Amino acid sequence: MRLLYFASVRQTIGLAGEDVTLPGDIVDAGGLVDWLKGRGGVYAEALAQPGHVRIAVNQTYGHAGTPVTDDDEVALFPPVTGG
Amino acid sequence: MIRVQEEDFDIAHEMEAISSQSTSLGAIASFVGVVRDMAGDGGPSSMTLEHYPGMTERMLREIDEEACRRWPLEASLIIHRYGRLEPGDRIVLVVTASAHRHAALEACAFLIDWLKTKAPFWKFEETPDGSHWVEARAHDDEAAARWEKE
């Protein structure tokens, strides 16, 4: 899976993105976020506030129940502030 | 039409291009977003706009298509910049054209309200007092929510 991080999430984690192999029991975006938080450190810090992290699966907004697989591009970022 | 670009845009040129697209349009509405000076004491400040290449274009296209479904538009344009910007710089241009003013004005307000809460852009502000990511504001969500159907 290709993971992408933007804005404050990118800054806290210290990476713009990374390739990961999902454990077999992770099937949705909520499970993915919990798994990343479980790495602790900067991941736990970046993803600490559930209401503050938005998820996009293959460039479309998703939610905790959105299915994810190893073939997906998943982005994690804070609420948007353009315009 | 949508464009995501680092460089500035020429408002007069873009308006002229829209008005030449159709002879049946009678109203053109526009919105220009500009960088505010965030340093209260007039010291140097700047802003950097980060975005999600690919998803940004996709979301802007979706929002543009939604406006065209809701209002009888003859033409529409969204230009959004990214990268480093100074106070006074233009960030975003929305132009809508229709036969009558109500459709043009409403569609323009809809586009800017929706793109503020849906297009994946993030503002990072640097002022003499420090730098920070701009927080999303509840009233932007409320402004976007008034266009929700059902």
Side-chain angles (χ1 to χ4, degrees):
Chain A
M1 165 180 289
R2 183 68 188 155
L3 281 173
L4 299 173
Y5 309 123
F6 292 97
S8 54
V9 175
R10 172 183 57 73
Q11 198 173 43
T12 303
I13 292 176
L15 289 173
E18 59 186 313
D19 292 309
V20 298
T21 303
L22 280 185
D25 58 335
I26 290 173
V27 296
D28 58 29
L32 170 67
V33 171
D34 287 342
W35 176 65
L36 287 169
K37 270 193 226 167
R39 289 174 162 184
V42 291
Y43 289 92
E45 189 189 336
L47 307 172
Q49 297 165 270
H52 204 72
V53 178
R54 299 284 182 270
I55 301 164
V57 179
N58 299 323
Q59 305 188 353
T60 300
Y61 282 107
H63 51 82
T66 303
V68 296
T69 72
D70 263 333
D71 299 327
D72 292 328
E73 174 181 295
V74 176
L76 300 173
F77 47 77
V80 302
T81 56
Chain B
M1 199 198 345
I2 64 118
R3 296 210 312 260
V4 181
Q5 62 189 45
E6 191 159 12
E7 61 273 21
D8 194 14
F9 46 80
D10 181 333
I11 299 171
H13 171 80
E14 301 299 343
M15 298 286 279
E16 188 58 38
I18 288 276
S19 64
S20 65
Q21 274 186 35
S22 165
T23 51
S24 57
L25 61 85
I28 302 172
S30 65
F31 172 87
V32 182
V34 176
V35 180
R36 275 194 309 272
D37 190 351
M38 300 313 291
D41 59 359
S45 73
S46 75
M47 173 179 284
T48 302
L49 266 154
E50 179 172 331
H51 79 117
Y52 180 174
M55 184 171 172
T56 305
E57 289 82 355
R58 196 178 172 127
M59 289 308 302
L60 292 180
R61 216 168 284 127
E62 268 182 32
I63 294 165
D64 190 31
E65 286 166 4
E66 181 64 25
C68 292
R69 271 193 294 273
R70 293 188 186 200
W71 289 277
L73 299 181
E74 298 286 336
S76 63
L77 171 68
I78 306 171
I79 302 177
H80 205 302
R81 295 178 67 191
Y82 61 87
R84 192 177 171 87
L85 300 170
E86 309 288 334
D89 284 351
R90 291 177 277 271
I91 306 175
V92 61
L93 173 67
V94 176
V95 183
T96 51
S98 184
H100 302 289
R101 70 184 184 283
H102 288 303
L105 287 167
E106 284 183 10
C108 187
F110 164 83
L111 283 170
I112 192 66
D113 283 347
W114 265 34
L115 86 78
K116 275 188 98 75
T117 58
K118 295 181 194 294
F121 287 96
W122 302 273
K123 291 183 179 125
F124 185 72
E125 282 173 359
E126 291 166 87
T127 70
D129 301 327
S131 55
H132 65 278
W133 291 97
V134 173
E135 295 276 329
R137 291 180 301 186
H139 76 239
D140 287 336
D141 285 332
E142 288 156 18
R146 74 194 166 107
W147 301 104
E148 296 288 353
K149 287 179 167 174
E150 278 110 40

